[in-house]
Amino acid sequence: MIDPGHGGKDPGTFLGNDVKEKNIVLNLAQILAKKLEQRLRVEAVLTRNTDIFVPLENRTAFANMQKADLFLSLHVNAYKQGDVYGLETYFLNMATDERAVMLAARENATSEKSISDLQKILNDLMLNTKISESSKLAYDIQEGMMVQVRKKYENIRDLGVKQAPFYVLIGADMPAILVEIGFLTNPVEKKRLQNRKYLESIADGIVSGIENYVKSFEQASVRG
Ligand SMILES: [Zn+2]
């Protein structure tokens, strides 16, 4: 299940009418779906295929209903300082640093839930048995992106794998991760994010990450 973040009345990060996170991640989702089907022969389904608003909780609910094997939420980053750039991948857990907290707050912004729902998040985390799988998936996808994108672009910064309480990942029955493919607030990455070739490199990286993830489970089951 591929989840292009935001949509409709929620533009996500935006810099004027032409540059909106919701459009960038929808483009990426459509490129990624094609590559997954062609290269891995799997079925890829999108939580939204057009510019419509989808509440955060409906996205994982849809993935659960469809019995998806993996859940990938696609996003674009932003920060108050323009010199911050790079790619990072998250899985659901308590936040590891201050910027992760701010990012989660922004990505959670459309949810009508209050911060007091943090308790529900904690309960969910404790029941969630997919944390180690999600963490493995996050590392494989982050590495896949780094290897692929660095083949074609210079100055790609690896911000690594992090943890934060994203509403959109809560309640997923399957391994679930959230990818931040660059900062719209950084001039170089802003340009790249609007370029189809860059999105194709990112998609190639995500596909190889998933390929490695699946392979490691196949090898484990052969050995076991
Ligand atoms: Zn976002």
Side-chain angles (χ1 to χ4, degrees):
M1 182 67 60
I2 305 171
D3 174 46
H6 314 279
K9 67 180 182 185
D10 169 25
T13 298
F14 71 103
L15 305 169
N17 277 336
D18 298 337
V19 190
K20 292 176 182 164
E21 175 181 3
K22 65 174 184 178
N23 299 330
I24 296 169
V25 293
L26 180 58
N27 285 343
L28 173 62
Q30 288 166 342
I31 294 169
L32 177 60
K34 269 203 196 94
K35 286 184 189 282
L36 280 170
E37 287 175 348
Q38 284 165 358
R39 282 177 50 192
L40 302 186
R41 310 253 164 235
V42 295
E43 187 190 353
V45 178
L46 273 60
T47 54
R48 66 176 180 96
N49 223 327
T50 54
D51 185 16
I52 51 162
F53 179 75
V54 182
L56 294 175
E57 44 272 47
N58 292 17
R59 297 173 187 244
T60 30
F62 181 56
N64 291 345
M65 206 176 72
Q66 297 280 316
K67 300 198 187 319
D69 296 307
L70 302 175
F71 182 85
L72 317 172
S73 194
L74 309 176
H75 292 263
V76 168
N77 228 322
Y79 198 61
K80 56 194 174 196
Q81 287 149 272
D83 58 348
V84 172
Y85 70 97
L87 288 79
E88 57 193 3
T89 305
Y90 284 84
F91 62 97
L92 181 67
N93 212 329
M94 294 318 291
T96 41
D97 62 46
E98 194 195 340
R99 199 173 54 72
V101 174
M102 288 166 59
L103 176 65
R106 203 178 53 247
E107 300 292 14
N108 291 341
T110 60
S111 174
E112 283 161 16
K113 290 175 185 146
S114 70
I115 201 73
S116 67
D117 287 310
L118 200 62
Q119 189 56 40
K120 185 193 174 303
I121 298 177
L122 286 168
N123 288 340
D124 219 76
L125 282 175
M126 286 172 204
L127 295 172
N128 187 350
T129 54
K130 295 291 191 300
I131 286 184
S132 66
E133 288 94 335
S134 298
S135 157
K136 167 91 173 84
L137 178 64
Y139 278 97
D140 284 338
I141 285 182
Q142 180 70 11
E143 198 197 331
M145 286 195 300
M146 284 301 127
V147 170
Q148 285 299 323
V149 179
R150 278 179 173 152
K151 283 182 187 167
K152 295 192 174 139
Y153 295 88
E154 292 187 342
N155 293 323
I156 296 295
R157 185 182 282 167
D158 185 355
L159 295 173
V161 171
K162 295 176 179 174
Q163 314 173 20
F166 292 104
Y167 281 126
V168 73
L169 300 180
I170 291 173
D173 290 339
M174 68 292 303
I177 57 110
L178 183 145
V179 191
E180 296 279 350
I181 60 164
F183 286 74
L184 261 186
T185 43
N186 175 264
V188 174
E189 289 192 336
K190 178 189 166 192
K191 221 171 165 182
R192 285 177 181 166
L193 288 164
Q194 295 171 79
N195 185 321
R196 190 180 171 89
K197 287 258 180 295
Y198 180 74
L199 298 183
E200 282 181 2
S201 282
I202 296 271
D204 284 334
I206 294 175
V207 173
S208 24
I210 292 174
E211 201 170 15
N212 283 339
Y213 176 81
V214 173
K215 259 187 212 154
S216 64
F217 276 96
E218 284 170 357
Q219 281 162 358
S221 63
V222 167
R223 276 199 304 271

